[in-house]
Amino acid sequence: MSKDTADRTVITAVHDITPDSEAKRAYILFLTGPLVGKIHLLEEGTTSIGRSGDVDIAINDTRISRHHITIRAHGNKVSIEDLGSTNGTYVNGKRINGTTELRDGDKIQLSSNTIFKFAWQDKTENIFHKELYKMAVLDPATALYNKRYFLERFTEEFSLAKRSKSPLSILIMDIDFFKKVNDTYGHLAGDLVLQQVGQLLKKLTRYEDVVARYGGEEFIVLLRGNGEDAAYLMAERIRKSIESSHFEFEGKQIPVTVSLGLCALPTTDENITTEAMIKIADERLYHSKESGRNRVTRAI
């Protein structure tokens, strides 16, 4: 190779990888509130948003009207309309009247707690945001919600239950002798047990319940609309299901049981807090373990 050839800079064309505007879709991304991190694709047509159960996107925020807004997507245009909401709708800090066209990056505020962003995104960008959401709220080992997300949701659901005088319960659950599982079968077996227990919890609970890994081998469940009796029945169902489930690693059977403690939102104690409820449930969990494990404690 000659010196001239070696020193020569070769310039090649770089294809424009920026997606065409036609490939972009309209999305809303929730920045704060009960749906924080959630992304919703705006299909062609009308999407209704509010607190009611009959809207397309229901938000559990008492400061939002039952039928708060509609968003209409038609071709490359998207508009928003306030439906006479009590507290109004704000786009980039300005209250709207009637119908307003949305532009990429607009921030929409429905209450002091719920704010979302409108954006045109291609498929790659949407996947990126979804992954960010998963990283922020999900436990990577079990795919359940993480402790931080649970505590945020618990605070919101607790406030709502107290205002509406609705039942609310929590279950704290611990895998019995989990250290022995790791020591006997190895940490990979322990990881498998955590994953399978998490999957069982998701199957046994309802869509409106919140299931999270609370730390280590400990899980926590928020039961909306369930008082103490209903929560106890759910806890027993979980306990029996896990006890009778098949856990196997590399051909070896692993016996797995769990202990649980529960606390229901009391109707007589006006000063109860989320921290106090978690402490009570944790004390009852400890009582279950001290009393022989593989049991549910609802009172001490």
Side-chain angles (χ1 to χ4, degrees), residues 61-63 156 158-166:
D61 182 345
T62 55
R63 287 156 286 193
E156 294 165 358
F158 177 85
S159 299
L160 178 62
K162 287 199 72 175
R163 285 195 299 270
S164 61
K165 300 188 183 302
S166 302

Side-chain angles (χ1 to χ4, degrees), residues 36-48:
V36 60
K38 289 287 182 68
I39 297 174
H40 185 85
L41 169 66
L42 296 173
E43 300 283 4
E44 184 82 5
T46 301
T47 301
S48 57

Side-chain angles (χ1 to χ4, degrees), residues 1 3 5 36 55 74 88 91 113 117-118 125 138 147-148 153 181-182 185 192 199 217 232 259 274 290:
M1 180 183 294
K3 185 177 185 302
T5 304
V36 60
V55 297
H74 180 64
V91 177
N113 194 38
K117 178 181 178 180
F118 169 73
E125 291 171 328
L138 296 184
K147 181 178 180 179
R148 182 186 67 81
R153 281 291 305 275
V181 172
N182 282 328
Y185 304 97
L192 176 69
Q199 291 170 8
E217 64 271 25
Y232 180 76
S259 300
T274 54
E290 288 292 298

Side-chain angles (χ1 to χ4, degrees), residues 47-49 67-71 80-83 89 110 116:
T47 301
S48 57
I49 301 177
H67 298 87
H68 201 105
I69 61 169
T70 57
I71 299 178
I80 183 172
E81 180 184 2
D82 183 90
L83 300 177
T89 301
L110 305 186
F116 62 86

Side-chain angles (χ1 to χ4, degrees), residues 100-115:
T100 299
E101 185 174 340
L102 291 176
R103 300 184 182 280
D104 189 31
D106 280 349
K107 290 183 180 178
I108 298 92
Q109 183 170 352
L110 305 186
S111 75
S112 57
N113 194 38
T114 298
I115 301 172

